[in-house]
Amino acid sequence: MTSGADTTTQSMIEQAQKTLRDNDLGGYTVPTHGLYPFQWNWDSAIVALGWLPFDETRAWEEVTSLLSAQWKSGMVPHVVFHRPSDTYFPGPDIWGVQNTPDSTSITQPPVLASVVKLLHQHGREQALSGEALHTVVQQLIRSHLWWYNSRDPENTGLVVSYHPWESGMDNSPAWDEPLRAVPKVQWSYTRRDTSHIDASERPHKEEYDRFLYLVDFFRKMNFDDTLIYQDCPYRVNDVSMISILHRGTRDLLALCHDLGIENAQTQYLAHRMTLTEEAIGELWHADTRMFHSKDTRSGKLCMARTSAGMLPLFAGLVSHTQLPLLINELDHWLKNRPFALSSTHPEDPNYEPQRYWRGPIWLHINWMIAEGLLDYGCTSQAERIKEASRDLLYVSGYNESFHAQTGARSGGADFSWTAAMALYWLLPA
C-alpha cells in the first residue's frame, strides 16, 4: 500500500487482500472456491507475489506448500489435492498417482524460481527471506534439472509438454492441431466446471475427451518419463513453457550465485540455457513476425497467433533482429483496443473473446510480457499493457480473466492470482 492512495484504490487493495484471505486454506491458496478447490502450481507461484506486500511469512508458506508435493524425480505437479473436494473433475481417483499428498502426474510452467527471486529481492524481513531461500533453492534446482533431463532428453534445447493442461493455457487454439492426433476417451464422465461457469466460456467436450485420454495414457505408462516421451500422442514444444523455464533458470542461477552455490549442477543448467538460446529460432515465423509452439510429432509450427508468442520477451530470447518485428506486431495488436492483451490475436480466425484461452485477457501473462518489454527497453508498450490491465480491475474486479473486447468478467470470480497481480503489480505506486 502506498501513502496518498485515493479512497478507491485503498478499497481495491483491501478487497484484493480479502480475496486472498478468503481463498486461503491454511498454507496454500485455492484459485477460487468451487471451480478450482485445490492448489494449482503456477497459480500458487503468482499468488505468493500477492501475499508479499502485506504478509511476507504467508508468501513463503505458499512456496513451501507447493514444493511439499514435489516428486522424487524433481517434478512439481500441476495440481496438489491437499484435501478432498467433489466440486472438481478429474480428481485424484482418475489420475491414479500414489504419492503423499495426492497430485496430478503432469506439471505447469515453472515460474516459481522467478517468483522466489522476487520474494528474496523485495522482501523486507531479510532473516525470514534468507532462511526460506536456503530451504527451497535445492528443491528448485532439482525441479529445473528434471525439466531439462526428462522433457528434453535429446538435448534439443526445447523442452516438451505432454498435455494442454501443462501449459496452463488449456484450450488455446495453438493446441488444436496437436490434439487432433489424440484419441477420445470411450468412457462417460461428468464435468464439474460447467456447473460453475457457463459452457460458452469453457473448453468443448471434444477437447475434454482428448484431455482425459492423455490422463489415462500417463497412468497406463505408470508415469514413466522415458515411455511417455517416446509414445505420447501429444508432444509439443510449448513456447510459453520454454520461455518461462528459461527465465526461471536464469533467475535460479542468480540466486545460486548470491548463495555461493557454484557446482556441476549449476554449470549444467547454464549449459542447457545455451542450448535453448541456440534453438529458439526454430519457433520464430517470419510471416507472422511472432514465436509459435511446435508439434514435434508432425514437425509443424502451431500457427495460431497467441499471447504465448510474446513470452520470449520475458525470457530474453528475442534477438535484436526479431525485436522490432515483434514489437511492430504487438503495437498492431494493441492499437485501438481499450483492453489488452487478448490471449489470442483478435485477427486470428480462432479468436473467441470470452472462451477461456481463446481470447480472454489474463493479467499474470500481461505482467510477464510487460516485464520482458521493460528488459528490452520497450517502456511505452510495457506501460500500455500495465495501464490496460489496471483498467480491467476497475471495470469488473478480481476475475479469473476478462472479456477481450468489453473487459467484463470471464471465468471465475474472486480469483486469487488476479488479486495477487493487483497487490504486487498494478495498485501500488
Side-chain angles (χ1 to χ4, degrees):
M1 185 178 68
T2 60
S3 60
D6 61 30
T7 302
T8 302
T9 299
Q10 179 59 31
S11 175
M12 292 289 289
I13 290 172
E14 292 171 358
Q15 183 59 42
Q17 293 176 348
K18 182 178 185 299
T19 298
L20 294 191
R21 291 193 181 103
D22 288 348
N23 289 339
D24 181 8
L25 293 188
Y28 71 96
T29 311
V30 297
T32 189
H33 291 287
L35 180 61
Y36 302 114
F38 305 113
Q39 183 177 29
W40 260 257
N41 184 322
W42 70 334
D43 290 71
S44 254
I46 298 299
V47 164
L49 293 176
W51 285 110
L52 178 63
F54 72 105
D55 193 338
E56 200 167 329
T57 298
R58 185 61 188 77
W60 283 105
E61 286 176 352
E62 196 75 32
V63 174
T64 56
S65 174
L66 176 60
L67 288 173
S68 73
Q70 185 173 34
W71 286 26
K72 291 180 180 179
S73 65
M75 186 193 79
V76 182
H78 106 284
V79 181
V80 185
F81 303 111
H82 289 286
R83 63 178 73 173
S85 175
D86 61 3
T87 66
Y88 177 82
F89 174 87
D93 56 324
I94 301 297
W95 286 94
V97 172
Q98 302 299 313
N99 277 357
T100 302
D102 287 330
S103 74
T104 61
S105 69
I106 58 176
T107 188
Q108 273 192 323
V111 71
L112 187 60
S114 295
V115 166
V116 166
K117 182 174 182 285
L118 292 171
L119 295 183
H120 179 62
Q121 180 179 341
H122 298 304
R124 297 172 299 279
E125 301 176 34
Q126 290 303 307
L128 168 66
S129 175
E131 181 180 351
L133 184 59
H134 277 89
T135 300
V136 305
V137 70
Q138 290 298 331
Q139 290 176 284
L140 292 172
I141 290 172
R142 287 179 53 223
S143 170
H144 282 242
L145 290 172
W146 172 84
W147 269 103
Y148 293 115
N149 290 325
S150 296
R151 293 306 183 90
D152 185 22
E154 298 180 70
N155 300 322
T156 68
L158 303 173
V159 297
V160 295
S161 167
Y162 297 141
H163 198 298
W165 286 342
E166 289 199 311
S167 72
M169 304 177 180
D170 303 16
N171 67 329
S172 168
W175 319 138
D176 289 355
E177 285 300 320
L179 266 182
R180 288 193 178 97
V182 178
K184 301 178 184 180
V185 291
Q186 298 304 309
W187 46 274
S188 61
Y189 58 91
T190 301
R191 290 170 62 172
R192 299 286 192 270
D193 58 324
T194 50
S195 67
H196 301 287
I197 300 295
D198 191 277
S200 65
E201 299 179 22
R202 300 295 298 171
H204 293 290
K205 181 182 183 300
E206 184 170 305
E207 292 165 317
Y208 247 80
D209 288 347
R210 292 176 163 89
F211 293 163
L212 292 173
Y213 177 92
L214 290 169
V215 174
D216 280 351
F217 171 80
F218 304 141
R219 190 176 62 250
K220 290 174 181 176
M221 294 295 103
N222 199 30
F223 315 117
D224 186 295
D225 284 329
T226 300
L227 294 178
I228 295 171
Y229 182 82
Q230 291 172 351
D231 299 330
C232 189
Y234 179 97
R235 200 177 72 187
V236 172
N237 294 138
D238 174 2
V239 69
S240 62
M241 191 172 283
I242 290 164
S243 298
I244 293 169
L245 173 63
H246 193 77
R247 172 63 177 258
T249 303
R250 187 180 81 195
D251 290 339
L252 176 57
L253 290 176
L255 287 171
C256 289
H257 177 76
D258 290 346
L259 294 173
I261 301 173
E262 304 283 347
N263 54 33
Q265 290 180 327
T266 59
Q267 291 171 9
Y268 177 73
L269 291 176
H271 167 65
R272 295 308 296 249
M273 288 187 67
T274 299
L275 292 183
T276 300
E277 290 159 5
E278 293 171 349
I280 194 66
E282 297 176 25
L283 305 185
W284 173 262
H285 196 280
D287 292 342
T288 62
R289 300 181 301 179
M290 283 184 62
F291 292 90
H292 298 264
S293 297
K294 182 180 180 181
D295 180 355
T296 68
R297 291 303 187 191
S298 69
K300 297 178 180 178
L301 291 180
C302 306
M303 292 307 298
R305 289 174 289 169
T306 72
S307 57
M310 295 289 166
L311 282 171
L313 290 163
F314 182 62
L317 288 170
V318 182
S319 72
H320 292 297
T321 55
Q322 293 164 344
L323 182 62
L325 301 174
L326 189 64
I327 296 303
N328 284 341
E329 184 59 32
L330 178 62
D331 286 340
H332 177 67
W333 199 329
L334 294 171
K335 187 177 181 181
N336 299 324
R337 295 188 174 94
F339 304 107
L341 184 72
S342 58
S343 49
T344 300
H345 197 295
E347 296 174 5
D348 191 279
N350 301 289
Y351 171 68
E352 296 180 69
Q354 198 163 359
R355 189 181 293 279
Y356 211 34
W357 285 93
R358 303 182 78 88
I361 299 162
W362 301 77
L363 296 195
H364 67 298
I365 300 297
N366 280 4
W367 167 68
M368 286 188 271
I369 293 171
E371 286 294 295
L373 288 165
L374 289 175
D375 290 343
Y376 278 94
C378 302
T379 54
S380 62
Q381 288 84 2
E383 283 302 311
R384 169 73 177 86
I385 289 174
K386 185 173 184 178
E387 289 171 8
S389 299
R390 186 185 294 113
D391 289 346
L392 288 167
L393 300 179
Y394 289 98
V395 167
S396 56
Y398 299 120
N399 302 311
E400 178 177 8
S401 54
F402 300 85
H403 190 292
Q405 292 168 198
T406 68
R409 182 204 56 77
S410 179
D414 304 316
F415 217 83
S416 294
W417 66 10
T418 305
M421 284 288 91
L423 292 167
Y424 176 76
W425 180 42
L426 297 174
L427 295 182

